[in-house]
Amino acid sequence: MAWTWFHRLGSSPWIYRFSGQLLRYLLPLAVLLVIAGSAWGLAFAPPDFRQGNSYRIIYIHVPVSVVSLAGYYVMAIAGAISLIWRLKVADMAMRVAAPVGAAMTFLALLTGAVWGKPTWGTYWVWDARITSMVVLLFLYLGVFALYEAYDNKALASKACAILALVGTVNIPIIYKSVDWWYSLHQPASIKFTGGSTIDPSMFYPLLLMIVAVYCLYTCLLLMGLRLALLETESKTAWARKEIMGGR
């Protein structure tokens, strides 16, 4: 059973059709969750007793930050599969994950800067958390740029996979930066062990937004992968059929 699924993951037509079926349900769900979470957090959650309403950007900043970190692992795992088993679909997934992850990381930095002005009195400080997030952005962009820099795409894929894997050391640095070094960033409010320091009335819409952004990220990844599959396989019969609308 496991080998059958692994074989399917190497099949471009199967991945294209399966992802299309998944998007049919996941995309509307993602849109609905983003609307519901945004409305709940931005309009109905109570103001913070210290920051007032300025804290509400947390409902964008935290979800995109969390997903930008998880998205890097997605890219690195796809790169490892591409490097070890030479699956074209994994190579495409790695390349698609790079710009999507870069967009999430850029949005995290942007919203963090907007939040920093009323909270810290400045848009930007070079503390450990922000600096390591900037490194994450350049790692994402590096994978994307490195692939475009090579004429030999097989060699480019190997180089990108190695860069993605090496870059994973930055993820735990980002996560633990507020504990290891002095930082203006507060420690994590959401904890898997022990109690969270955020009130439930603020936590539940935040949790909903995190789920929503995960769903949105998955949709963007699948849509990018489908486009990459059609571009790469454009000369095959199944791709031409799909381009022609299934006729």
Side-chain angles (χ1 to χ4, degrees):
M1 180 65 71
W3 180 252
T4 301
W5 271 96
F6 191 78
H7 178 72
R8 287 177 176 177
L9 290 175
S11 170
S12 297
W14 187 87
I15 288 290
Y16 183 86
R17 290 163 189 147
F18 176 75
S19 60
Q21 294 172 356
L22 188 59
L23 279 169
R24 187 178 303 174
Y25 303 100
L26 188 59
L27 186 57
L29 176 63
V31 172
L32 180 63
L33 290 176
V34 167
I35 293 173
S38 299
W40 191 357
L42 299 178
F44 296 103
D48 183 73
F49 78 101
R50 287 182 179 173
Q51 300 182 44
N53 287 316
S54 66
Y55 92 98
R56 294 184 189 278
I57 202 167
I58 193 176
Y59 296 108
I60 300 173
H61 175 70
V62 171
V64 295
S65 299
V66 169
V67 174
S68 68
L69 299 184
Y72 194 90
Y73 281 123
V74 171
M75 183 177 71
I77 291 170
I81 293 173
S82 172
L83 198 62
I84 298 168
W85 287 288
R86 309 294 176 84
L87 292 182
K88 290 190 299 182
V89 174
D91 175 55
M92 293 179 207
M94 175 187 65
R95 289 188 279 115
V96 169
V100 177
M104 290 284 178
T105 308
F106 176 78
L107 188 57
L109 289 168
L110 178 63
T111 53
V114 173
W115 191 11
K117 182 60 176 178
T119 306
W120 303 334
T122 182
Y123 288 108
W124 193 272
V125 291
W126 286 103
D127 73 346
R129 173 62 61 85
I130 295 176
T131 303
S132 51
M133 283 295 290
V134 171
V135 171
L136 179 67
L137 176 61
F138 281 116
L139 284 168
Y140 273 126
L141 294 175
V143 170
F144 178 77
L146 190 60
Y147 185 83
E148 296 299 325
Y150 279 84
D151 293 327
N152 186 330
K153 295 307 179 185
L155 186 59
S157 295
K158 291 181 181 179
C160 290
I162 293 171
L163 176 60
L165 289 169
V166 171
T168 56
V169 300
N170 188 49
I171 306 303
I173 292 174
I174 294 172
Y175 180 73
K176 298 296 291 183
S177 58
V178 293
D179 300 320
W180 291 346
W181 297 285
Y182 170 77
S183 174
L184 291 175
H185 279 84
Q186 66 185 45
S189 299
I190 302 174
K191 298 179 180 179
F192 296 103
T193 58
S196 295
T197 59
I198 183 171
D199 187 81
S201 62
M202 301 174 178
F203 171 70
Y204 293 134
L206 179 59
L207 184 62
L208 181 61
M209 277 300 293
I210 291 173
V211 173
V213 176
Y214 265 116
C215 291
L216 182 61
Y217 171 84
T218 304
C219 290
L220 293 173
L221 193 65
L222 291 177
M223 288 188 290
L225 181 59
R226 283 165 59 83
L227 181 60
L229 285 168
L230 287 181
E231 289 178 346
T232 304
E233 305 282 332
S234 59
K235 296 182 180 180
T236 62
W238 76 266
R240 288 200 301 268
K241 184 178 179 181
E242 294 294 341
I243 293 170
M244 295 298 293
R247 296 190 293 274

